[in-house]
Amino acid sequence: GENVEQHPSTLSVQEGDSAVIKCTYSDSASNYFPWYKQELGKRPQLIIDIRSNVGEKKDQRIAVTLNKTAKHFSLHITETQPEDSAVYFCAAPIGFKTIFGAGTRLFVKA
Amino acid sequence: DTGVSQNPRHKITKRGQNVTFRCDPISEHNRLYWYRQTLGQGPEFLTYFQNEAQLEKSRLLSDRFSAERPKGSFSTLEIQRTEQGDSAMYLCASSPPAGTYNEQFFGPGTRLTVL
C-alpha cells in the first residue's frame, strides 16, 4: 500500500532533552525524505530533508537518519527548546505523489 | 510577498454548493501540489501538476473534485456538490524544477466549512 507510518503521535519532553520521531515508508523506490514542522494555525515548513544516497544529515540541533534496508527514517532534535513545540510530519514520495505521515505533536516543557 | 498565495483564506458554504479555490505558486516553480488537511492529520495528497499537465490524481478523490492549471502558473481546485465531509483545510504547495524531488513551499491554505 501507499503509506507512511509515523510514531509517536504525541511526544512530551523536558527542555534540553532530546526528541526522536520515527517514520516507516512502504515504497522501496522512494528516494527523498523531508521533515516538515507545522506550528498551530500556520503552514507546514521544511526543516530538514535527506536523499537516499546518504544515511545521515545534520543541521545544528536537528538530524535525520535513513535506513533504506529497513525502510525507515528518523528525526532527532537535541537540546530541545520551547519553540520546538509544534507538529512534525515526515513524508515520502511515491511516484508523483507525496505521502505524509499522520504527524507527531511535540511538547517541550520549560 | 513572493511566497505561495491562496484565495480565499476562508470559505463557508452550504451543502450542495460548488466552491473554487485559487493557488498562485512561487513564480519560477513549475511543480504544484494540492493537499487536504483535517484536524490532527497530515496533509493528504490530492493532485500534482508539472507545468500545465496534471500528472497524478489521488484515487481517493471523487469525481466531484477537479483541478486545473491552464497556463502552468496559477491553479484552481473546484469541489462540486459539497458535502459536510469536505470541510477541511486545502493546502497548495509549489516546488522548483531542479532535480527530481525538492522542498515543497506551502501556501497559507483555504479553510472550507460546509454547513
Side-chain angles (χ1 to χ4, degrees):
Chain A
E2 299 175 343
N3 65 303
V4 174
E5 294 189 1
Q6 184 172 345
H7 299 281
S9 57
T10 306
L11 181 57
S12 184
V13 300
Q14 204 67 36
E15 182 179 2
D17 288 351
S18 294
V20 180
I21 303 170
K22 299 181 179 181
C23 284
T24 304
Y25 58 97
S26 58
D27 188 353
S28 56
S30 295
N31 59 5
Y32 173 69
F33 307 94
W35 285 92
Y36 288 83
K37 176 182 180 181
Q38 188 173 29
E39 296 179 55
L40 190 62
K42 297 193 175 179
R43 69 192 80 183
Q45 290 191 299
L46 183 80
I47 55 170
I48 195 167
D49 56 13
I50 191 169
R51 298 186 189 275
S52 59
N53 57 344
V54 297
E56 183 175 1
K57 183 178 178 181
K58 288 186 76 172
D59 182 4
Q60 299 181 4
R61 296 186 297 108
I62 295 171
V64 55
T65 58
L66 171 64
N67 182 330
K68 284 219 72 177
T69 303
K71 291 192 284 187
H72 66 70
F73 57 112
S74 300
L75 176 70
H76 305 254
I77 305 174
T78 58
E79 301 171 28
T80 53
Q81 300 167 4
E83 51 265 37
D84 294 330
S85 295
V87 181
Y88 293 82
F89 295 101
C90 62
I94 297 178
F96 291 120
K97 301 178 186 178
T98 299
I99 307 300
F100 282 79
T104 296
R105 184 171 296 278
L106 175 63
F107 296 95
V108 180
K109 295 177 286 186
Chain B
D1 185 359
T2 56
V4 179
S5 62
Q6 292 186 245
N7 289 288
R9 296 290 307 277
H10 303 271
K11 179 70 178 178
I12 300 174
T13 192
K14 292 182 179 180
R15 188 175 50 189
Q17 297 294 304
N18 299 344
V19 294
T20 300
F21 310 141
R22 176 178 170 125
C23 170
D24 286 89
I26 294 171
S27 60
E28 61 269 25
H29 288 187
N30 69 332
R31 301 173 185 183
L32 189 146
Y33 304 79
W34 283 100
Y35 296 92
R36 176 172 63 191
Q37 186 176 30
T38 53
L39 200 62
Q41 296 298 314
E44 177 188 9
F45 173 84
L46 294 179
T47 191
Y48 165 71
F49 289 88
Q50 189 164 303
N51 300 309
E52 66 276 8
Q54 187 176 23
L55 298 184
E56 186 70 73
K57 183 176 176 179
S58 170
R59 289 194 303 269
L60 301 173
L61 221 56
S62 74
D63 291 341
R64 297 184 298 107
F65 288 72
S66 62
E68 292 182 342
R69 195 182 183 199
K71 296 181 181 178
S73 55
F74 74 91
S75 176
T76 58
L77 177 68
E78 181 183 17
I79 309 175
Q80 297 182 324
R81 305 182 302 282
T82 52
E83 303 172 355
Q84 288 186 324
D86 297 331
S87 294
M89 177 72 84
Y90 289 83
L91 293 166
C92 173
S94 70
S95 212
T100 49
Y101 298 109
N102 286 292
E103 173 181 2
Q104 293 181 31
F105 294 80
F106 282 84
T110 295
R111 181 169 295 284
L112 173 66
T113 302
V114 182
L115 302 176

